[in-house]
Amino acid sequence: MSILKDKVALVTGAGSGIGKQVALKYAAEGAKVIVSDIVEKGGKETVDEIKAADGEAFFIMADTSKPDDNEYLVQQTIEKYGALHIACNNAGIGGPAAPTGEYTIDGWEKVIKVNLSGVFYGMRYQIPAILKSGGGNIVNMASILGKVGFANSVAYVAAKHGVIGLTETAAIEYAPKGIRINAVGPGFIKTPLIETAMDEASRNALVALHPIGRLGESSEVAELVLWLSSEKASFVTGSYYNVDGGYLAR
Amino acid sequence: MKRLENKSALITGGAGSIGLITAQKFLELGAKVILVDLKEDSLQKAVESLDNPNASYIVADVTKSADVENYARKAADKFGKIDIFFNNAGIEGVVKPITEYPEDIFDKVIAVNVKGVWLGSKYVLPIMADGGSIIITSSVAGLSGTVGTSAYTTSKHAVIGIMRSVAVEAAPRKIRVNTIHPSPVDNRMMRSLEAGFNEKDAAGVKAELEKSIPLGRYAQPYEIADLVTFLASDESKFMTGTLNVIDGGMQI
């Protein structure tokens, strides 16, 4: 299959987890992929994997919490591949775990900068480039915590709710101009942190929140992102799609 | 391997525009398909148009439990297990303010759109393969109100309740249940509703509705079928209990 043939796609936070799987799938579907991450090692590994599978990719280091880095990322994408059609604003951090009355101000600012402002900065520079390239689409990584609360995660929950608002507003603005913009809301996804650092009781409690009886895989989220990024989703814009094993169903 | 190779699918409202084009897509992707609808002549025409040995039909009134039990049993006889159930049959009713809305039409809309979906879930779930997928057709009318469509709007809100209930009940068997929420689709139902909103100027109604959709147009049935196909396939295997809006931005 090559449903993204001749497209240029940008993925932030693509050095690990969901972002990495998105980059791999975009490339497998024929897109030229700019792999971006704040960590050079992971990003380069993603590029190596794409190239090993005969795909096309290029690594650019960026800190999405900095406006200049986002501008640079888009400039370099155009420099390298001559266009930008698809962006997946995925980079995000968890932040500290503490109740609101004890949450550190630093922790709050860091999470909001990366998870919320980072998505705005990304779109701010991606949108003009996508318009110049003749249209395309953007997928922003929200979360189930973009719809409901979760104890000890006030900054993350607030940022992810905000991402949905950014998505809806930009979607209205750019629907007539040929850019679709959507958000994705994963449930809890298997990550090294959850797999190794959590004790079994906490892990089981987390699994129990998902009626399907397990946590998600990064690749399962990437399938949804890929679908939204493809022409198959040509009538979907301003939407928030969940991939959460039933987390929000009850 | 094709994306739906060796999968068996049951589609209610199979002779309607969304059901039929979804059947076509399922067949192209390697699935076997049974269409269920009310009228035999429409079903015959639908199956003829599909022109594929893996397509067949069963006549049923989805509001009658005996009919639903019958189509489920026949489907099980034919395929053993059902992998994909597109629980899609629905009617629009009429366009009138609630104070003038005929009670018998309200009852009919609820019977088809709510009880039909509930009965389908009740009788098809036991014959579904573990890991299967149920897709229920709701609407943007399942998420907000519109003047004059109280029965339809009520029914499309209600199926979200069915979806969430079945999603949590069927999750232990890894059966996934999701709703789709299209905005107006370019098909018979919308022609009927446009005329219902303003008999003298149906085209004007369409133009107004298109203006309310940021993408500036109705959905085409094949676009809905692409979403149903994604939800039916294993690509979406962590998605259950979700509402999937496909509305060109209308709901924002």
Side-chain angles (χ1 to χ4, degrees), chain A residues 10 12 74 84 87 89 122-131 138:
Chain A
L10 164 62
T12 66
V74 171
L84 177 64
N89 291 308
M123 289 202 293
R124 170 65 183 78
Y125 295 106
Q126 291 152 8
I127 285 169
I130 294 174
L131 287 173
I138 296 173

Side-chain angles (χ1 to χ4, degrees), chain B residues 5 7 19 27 29 46 52 57 60 68 70-71 90 104 110 120 129 155 167 201 223-224 232 238 248:
Chain B
E5 194 83 54
K7 303 233 190 236
L27 289 163
L29 295 172
N52 187 307
Y57 70 80
V68 176
N70 179 59
Y71 82 64
D104 60 331
I110 298 301
S155 72
D201 187 19
E223 294 177 306
I224 311 302
F238 198 57

Side-chain angles (χ1 to χ4, degrees), chain A residues 10 12 34 36 60 62 69-77:
Chain A
L10 164 62
T12 66
I34 294 291
S36 179
I60 300 172
D69 276 27
N70 285 277
E71 187 177 20
Y72 174 78
L73 190 49
V74 171
Q75 271 170 2
Q76 292 300 301
T77 302

Side-chain angles (χ1 to χ4, degrees), chain B residues 77-136:
Chain B
D77 288 347
K78 196 172 172 79
F79 293 147
K81 291 279 181 194
I82 297 296
D83 298 296
I84 301 163
F85 178 33
F86 186 21
N87 203 348
N88 164 67
I91 57 172
E92 67 275 24
V94 295
V95 180
K96 283 200 185 298
I98 194 163
T99 49
E100 294 160 34
Y101 207 98
E103 188 178 340
D104 60 331
I105 295 181
F106 177 84
D107 287 341
K108 181 77 190 157
V109 170
I110 298 301
V112 176
N113 295 9
V114 182
K115 193 172 181 192
V117 168
W118 184 81
L119 284 171
S121 306
K122 178 177 169 65
Y123 288 108
V124 175
L125 201 52
I127 62 159
M128 284 199 69
D130 287 3
S133 172
I134 300 177
I135 303 104
I136 295 171

Side-chain angles (χ1 to χ4, degrees), chain A residues 168 171-172 175-176 211-212 214-216 220 223-224 227 232 234-239 241-246 249, chain B residues 3 164 168 171 174 183 214-215 217-219 223 226-227 230 235 237-242 244-249 252:
Chain A
E168 291 181 343
I172 298 172
I212 211 164
R214 63 178 176 88
L215 303 183
E220 294 176 315
E223 287 286 4
L224 174 59
W227 187 79
K232 289 170 197 269
S234 50
F235 202 60
V236 181
T237 193
S239 285
Y241 270 53
N242 283 108
V243 48
D244 66 2
Chain B
R3 281 160 76 204
R164 287 192 170 125
V168 291
K174 312 294 175 211
S183 62
L215 282 183
R217 62 177 176 89
Y218 283 13
E223 294 177 306
D226 271 326
L227 173 56
F230 175 69
E235 289 154 23
K237 65 185 174 4
F238 198 57
M239 292 176 70
T240 190
T242 68
N244 298 276
V245 179
I246 173 162
D247 70 347
I252 301 169

Side-chain angles (χ1 to χ4, degrees), chain A residues 38 62-70 91 109-115 117-119 121:
Chain A
I38 196 169
D63 176 350
T64 56
S65 71
K66 296 180 175 154
D68 288 354
D69 276 27
N70 285 277
E109 283 174 353
K110 187 107 204 289
V111 172
I112 294 297
K113 259 195 168 157
V114 177
N115 293 10
S117 299
V119 174
Y121 301 148

Side-chain angles (χ1 to χ4, degrees), chain B residues 10 13 16 29 32 42 57-58 159 168 181 183 189 201 239:
Chain B
L10 192 53
L29 295 172
K32 293 166 286 185
S42 335
Y57 70 80
I58 301 168
V159 294
V168 291
H181 300 265
S183 62
M189 186 182 280
D201 187 19
M239 292 176 70

